[in-house]
Amino acid sequence: MTLSYAIRQGHRWLSIAFTVTVIANFILMALGQPPAWIVYAPLPPLFLLLITGLYMFVLPYTARRRGEGGR
């Protein structure tokens, strides 16, 4: 398994974790004022999604510069 593949898989699983935490957040907010840790629970997956997403965004440009693919 290459690093790129692992980051893509991690990004997919992080997106699922982020979606679940946001849905749980909305459900618990509808029931009343949730604790602070519920409100801030989506932030760690969101931060990791930002990092992995930026990595995947930059990857084609760096590969093209190294001469590995692209146009």
Side-chain angles (χ1 to χ4, degrees), residues 8-49:
R8 288 180 190 278
Q9 278 296 107
H11 189 81
R12 289 182 190 122
W13 284 106
L14 282 169
S15 68
I16 293 170
F18 175 72
T19 303
V20 168
T21 57
V22 168
I23 291 171
N25 199 342
F26 275 102
I27 291 171
L28 292 174
M29 282 187 165
L31 298 175
Q33 183 65 30
W37 68 272
I38 294 289
V39 174
Y40 296 118
L43 293 181
L46 182 62
F47 177 70
L48 293 172
L49 279 170

